[in-house]
Each structure stands twice: as structure tokens, then as C-alpha cells.
Amino acid sequence: MATDSFGRRIDYLRISVTDRCNLRCVYCMPPAGVAWKEPDEILTFEEIERFAAAAVKEGISKIRLTGGEPLVRKGIVDHIRRLRELTGIEAIALTTNATLLPKMAADLAAAGLTRVNISLDTLDPAVYSEVTRGGKLTDALAGLDAAFDAGFDPVKLNVVVVRQLEQDLLGFARMTFDRPVHVRFIEYMPVGGESEDGTGCTGESGGWTVEDTVPTDEILQRLIVEGAAAGLGTLEGVSANGAPGGWGPARYYRFPGAAGTIGVISPLSHHFCAECNRLRLTADGRLRTCLFCDDELDATTVLREGSDEDVRALIRHALAIKPESHDMRIGTLRRMSQIGG
Ligand code: SAM
């Protein structure tokens, strides 16, 4: 078991396998797009697997693949199969926009993927197309169906709540009655956005700013009031036993009789650094100790020039310097698509 210098158990590694994506969400990528990394700047699957094997020896037992869009990287199914075979790995999870799941879900399940988080911020086709800059809501919903057909468990739906989008939160809540989907409302995080002088970050992305973050207390209040008015009953807290197995900081609720749950994740309003259990590896091989901390460690050079013991030492160093908390500052130097969320 690995602990950091504040005694937190760190057993979860998020790996971004690509900076590329088949969507262009306004808050994740700048309008002009990002300059893709050159292929040799991106870690090979072999390098990622070597890193993962070292991480397992340092106490990591849970891996989530993210991106960019992880499913656009060729060879991802076999990569998942090889990661799954690492002794000490409890489960592999995937965060995806789901648009490629209809053709890939069955193979992913056969390769050993069990847990899927689907990002879907709106149920309005026109707004979906606007936010994703051209995506089709029907593709994402077909991906959600495919996730259930493939037997993934849990299937979670991540909804970033943004004030200016005026999302139909109750529409998402109603989905929990149809099948055991776990809808999680997440506070929009003001990341990215280079300042004009290039020395800092504004936290502005896609025209959204920190003013667009809706605190989860407000989200819950809306669900309670709108749910009761719509006859869905009283939203109840769910004990740890009733919540979908999770690796993160969501708090869960349920409307009576619903098959799925409603979760809230509050990175800003109730920040949960004391429970942080994770490290992040970016597609270009940078090890990040905190989502909001731009001090990254160069894993690529260690993987390309060092021994397995050097890789393990780098991970131990990351654990030693992982900050106690993020300083709530606005903006990170990299966009979410480059960090992996
Ligand atoms: N393409 C995949 C997807 O759509 O899930 C994985 C990568 S995406 C960067 C991972 C997650 O980050 C998505 O759920 C997305 O909504 C979230 N995300 C991106 N920018 C965000 C922001 N500023 N605040 C909160 N979540 C954000």
C-alpha cells in the first residue's frame, strides 16, 4: 500500500492515452483546436504498460483510461487486455464520450474492461451539437445503450453543470428510473485559458468562466424542489453500501424506486483534497500529482532512459511531493483534454 507524505492512501492512477479527440467540446479545447503532440511525444502502449507495472508495485490497484478520447487510439482494446493482466490490478475503468461504444463495447468488455464513465452534459440535441462543436446526441445515447448491452457495471454518466447552459437536471434524474445508471453532476472547473501576456491562466474556456460553476448544494436543492414538484418523491441520501462502487469523491442520492443513483462531485465548493487517492499520467508522459498543480514530473525521459527501478523511484518521488491541497487558483496551464480530466 502506498501513502503520500500526508498519510493519504494513493491507489488510483488516471492514464491519458491520447490528446486527440473526435469531439471538440468548447470547454475542453480552445476554438482553434490544440496542436496535437507529435507521435514520438506520446507514450507508446508499451511505455504506459511499463509505467503501470511499476505503479502497481508502488501500490496502485485501480487504473482509469482517459484522453482526449481514449477510444480513438488504435490498439486500445489490446492495451486494456494487457493492463488487465497485470497482477495487482483490481479493475480498469474508462472515461469516454461514448460515441464509439456502439462498435467497440463488446470487444472492450471481452478485454476485461468493467467500469465506464460516460460524459454527457445535455439531453438537448442542439445544445449537444453546440457544446461538442458538431457531435450528435444520438451517437452518445447509442453509446450509453451499448454500455449496458455489454454488461459494464457500474455505468456512470458525468454531467458538468454550467450555469449558462440551463441544463435539464430533472431529465437526467429521470434516466435513473429506467435502468441502473449513476448520474453524477460535476461542478465546472475553470481550467486552461492562457492569459494575454502568456504568463498565467484565466480559467476561461469556451466562453465559460468561474461564474458558470454551479455549486453542488444548489444542484441538489434544485433536484429536491423540481423532483418533488414532478412527483418523483423525496431525494434521499444513499449509504456507502447502496452507492455504486467508486474510486472518487462523489456523494450519492436516490429518488425512491429508482434503479440508479444521483451523485454530486464538488471539486470547488467542498474540495476533497483530504481524500485524494490519485496520480495522473498525461498522454505525453507527464506525471501530475494534482489536477490543479502544473508542476509535472517527466516520466517520458525516465521510461526511455531509465530502469524499472528508476520508474518506481519517480512514482515514490511523486507521492512524496503530492501537495496537501490545491490552492483553488483559477486556471491550469493545460486544457482538460491535455490532462485527461
Ligand atoms: N473524451 C473523454 C470524455 O469525454 O469523457 C475523456 C476525456 S475528458 C477531458 C474527461 C472529462 O473531463 C469529461 O467528463 C469532461 O466533461 C471533463 N471536463 C473537461 N473540462 C472540464 C472542466 N473545465 N470542468 C469539469 N470537467 C471537465
Side-chain angles (χ1 to χ4, degrees):
M1 180 177 100
T3 51
D4 70 2
S5 55
F6 300 97
R8 291 171 297 196
R9 180 179 176 172
I10 309 297
D11 60 1
Y12 173 23
L13 175 65
R14 293 178 70 102
I15 302 175
S16 175
V17 295
T18 179
D19 59 340
R20 300 185 186 219
C21 190
N22 55 347
L23 298 178
R24 296 283 182 275
C25 296
V26 294
Y27 61 109
C28 206
M29 290 203 187
V34 286
W36 303 128
K37 298 277 172 190
E38 293 299 323
D40 68 342
E41 291 179 87
I42 299 294
L43 292 180
T44 64
F45 281 142
E46 206 180 0
E47 286 165 343
I48 295 176
E49 287 154 25
R50 197 168 147 233
F51 186 92
V56 168
K57 293 205 173 89
E58 293 303 327
I60 296 293
S61 56
K62 302 160 181 168
I63 289 181
R64 173 174 302 281
L65 300 181
T66 174
E69 171 50 48
L71 297 185
V72 302
R73 184 153 177 190
K74 216 165 151 239
I76 188 73
V77 172
D78 289 332
H79 179 53
I80 288 174
R81 184 175 297 114
R82 291 189 297 269
L83 286 174
R84 188 69 195 91
E85 283 164 3
L86 284 177
T87 307
I89 285 292
E90 193 182 293
I92 308 281
L94 179 79
T95 295
T96 174
N97 61 38
T99 57
L100 296 172
L101 279 182
K103 63 175 184 190
M104 296 178 73
D107 289 344
L108 290 163
L113 182 77
T114 47
R115 312 169 63 96
V116 176
N117 287 10
I118 293 175
S119 307
L120 180 63
D121 300 329
T122 175
L123 296 173
D124 179 319
V127 178
Y128 184 83
S129 172
E130 205 176 296
V131 169
T132 57
R133 296 199 186 98
K136 284 202 199 113
L137 178 64
T138 46
D139 291 345
L141 292 177
L144 177 62
D145 289 343
F148 277 100
D149 290 346
F152 296 130
D153 183 20
V155 176
K156 298 179 182 174
L157 211 58
N158 288 351
V159 184
V160 176
V161 183
V162 181
R163 201 172 292 286
Q164 61 174 277
L165 283 188
E166 298 178 3
Q167 290 134 304
D168 175 15
L169 303 189
L170 210 57
F172 281 107
R174 286 184 199 281
M175 292 169 84
T176 65
F177 285 87
D178 302 336
R179 53 191 171 185
V181 64
H182 304 286
V183 174
R184 291 118 51 85
F185 294 109
I186 303 174
E187 289 175 352
Y188 167 69
M189 290 178 264
V191 299
E194 204 168 295
S195 62
E196 274 176 24
D197 63 5
T199 58
C201 308
T202 60
E204 187 272 338
S205 29
W208 303 348
T209 70
V210 68
E211 307 296 322
D212 282 298
T213 299
V214 184
T216 49
D217 287 353
E218 187 181 325
I219 294 170
L220 281 174
Q221 196 51 38
R222 264 182 64 186
L223 288 168
I224 289 166
V225 172
E226 292 174 21
L232 300 189
T234 309
L235 194 63
E236 301 158 346
V238 171
S239 67
N241 289 344
W247 304 345
R251 289 173 286 143
Y252 286 97
Y253 302 82
R254 190 194 298 271
F255 279 110
T261 61
I262 293 174
V264 290
I265 303 181
S266 330
L268 297 190
S269 65
H270 298 280
H271 72 108
F272 32 71
C273 304
E275 295 147 48
C276 189
N277 58 350
R278 61 195 65 186
L279 293 175
R280 290 178 164 80
L281 182 67
T282 66
D284 59 347
R286 299 291 178 265
L287 186 55
R288 264 180 107 92
T289 56
C290 167
L291 176 59
F292 285 91
C293 173
D294 285 314
D295 298 332
E296 299 174 337
L297 300 173
D298 177 4
T300 305
T301 304
V302 178
L303 281 163
R304 293 185 181 169
E305 296 174 12
S307 65
D308 289 350
E309 177 46 36
D310 292 335
V311 180
R312 290 183 62 175
L314 181 79
I315 295 167
R316 287 195 297 273
H317 178 56
L319 295 176
I321 64 167
K322 185 173 163 64
E324 184 173 17
S325 68
H326 61 70
D327 51 11
M328 305 294 290
R329 82 191 153 81
I330 305 297
T332 51
L333 288 174
R334 303 232 243 175
R335 295 273 173 172
M336 217 55 125
S337 65
Q338 298 164 310
I339 300 173

